[in-house]
Amino acid sequence: NLSASDRVEALKIIGMGTSAKLLSDPYPLGGYDGLEMGLSIESLPTDDLGRLGNRLTAPQQDVAYPKLTIGKGVYNNIDIFIQFTPYTRQDELSQFGGIMRWGFYQAQFQPLSASILLHMNNGNVGNVLTTRTYGVDLVGGMNVSNVALFGGIGFIESTGTFAGGASGVTASGRLESESVSGYHTVYGANVKILEKGFLALQIDRYSVPVFSGKLGVRF
């Protein structure tokens, strides 16, 4: 029983919140030789979803879901990252997305860098909501010893299709589509572990904050 305004709010939380995320060292991977692999966990606050439609009587629990990421340096400080969440019956969530990063600035005498990220993500929630999310971010980073700090701002747009019918979620009973857009900020840190491992932590702020962490290796 989601009205138009309910669907917009749900899309702000789910569509934007599940967008592709960097969770990596802000410095470029390093051309043809750079390779990164990792497993991340993202925590999406969904308490506000319980206030939409028919409303839940019990508080809605936050949803934590995994993402597998493979990143590769391709040419002239341009990196490509592919991310996906396999479908699980427990969360009924599947995703596939990617990021293209261009590291356009690396200071010669300071540990500073800047990059532009283009990202996209497709998601499916229980076959009642499909999302398509796109965005562009400007991210700056600082690398000191084994720790890298980064932050940035970007624009994001998400469209969603809500299922109707007997097993759907729309108040009209018909298939409905909505679109939302806005700005978001990102802050994070990447800590080197042993020789090639790393731990990345990140906070993305949309209409709700999303917390993420990733363990990975970088060659």
Side-chain angles (χ1 to χ4, degrees):
N1 266 341
L2 296 179
S3 65
S5 60
D6 289 339
R7 295 192 298 269
V8 167
E9 289 302 315
L11 192 55
K12 286 181 179 179
I13 296 171
I14 300 174
M16 290 184 172
T18 57
S19 64
K21 299 173 180 62
L22 178 60
L23 279 168
S24 179
D25 193 306
Y27 204 80
L29 285 170
Y32 293 107
D33 295 333
L35 177 66
E36 177 181 307
M37 295 179 291
L39 173 64
S40 63
I41 300 294
E42 299 181 11
S43 178
L44 180 65
T46 55
D47 184 57
D48 289 344
L49 291 177
R51 302 183 179 93
L52 305 178
N54 288 337
R55 296 178 172 79
L56 297 177
T57 56
Q60 174 77 18
Q61 296 294 320
D62 292 354
V63 175
Y65 53 91
K67 272 187 182 178
L68 295 171
T69 303
I70 300 174
K72 184 73 179 71
V74 290
Y75 176 73
N76 195 26
N77 292 332
I78 295 177
D79 303 327
I80 300 292
F81 297 86
I82 296 174
Q83 306 177 346
F84 62 94
T85 297
Y87 176 84
T88 60
R89 187 174 297 275
Q90 179 181 2
D91 294 330
E92 296 188 319
L93 171 68
S94 62
Q95 298 182 80
F96 177 82
I99 298 173
M100 183 177 72
R101 175 174 66 179
W102 173 40
F104 66 89
Y105 174 76
Q106 294 86 42
Q108 187 173 0
F109 301 109
Q110 299 291 334
L112 303 176
S113 62
S115 58
I116 293 177
L117 278 65
L118 301 176
H119 57 88
M120 60 81 63
N121 191 72
N122 290 336
N124 184 306
V125 183
N127 292 322
V128 297
L129 170 60
T130 58
T131 63
R132 294 164 298 281
T133 306
Y134 307 89
V136 56
D137 297 340
L138 174 64
V139 176
M142 179 176 65
N143 293 63
V144 179
S145 186
N146 292 325
V147 178
L149 303 177
F150 59 90
I153 187 170
F155 180 81
I156 188 170
E157 181 175 0
S158 183
T159 61
T161 301
F162 297 78
S167 59
V169 293
T170 61
S172 66
R174 300 187 302 269
L175 188 72
E176 301 279 4
S177 295
E178 305 292 345
S179 179
V180 296
S181 61
Y183 294 94
H184 94 284
T185 56
V186 55
Y187 307 95
N190 187 97
V191 181
K192 186 176 180 181
I193 303 174
L194 301 177
E195 184 177 354
K196 299 183 183 299
F198 68 88
L199 169 65
L201 302 173
Q202 183 170 314
I203 302 174
D204 291 82
R205 296 198 65 89
Y206 312 95
S207 62
V208 295
V210 178
F211 299 88
S212 309
K214 181 168 78 173
L215 280 172
V217 291
R218 183 170 180 164
F219 303 97

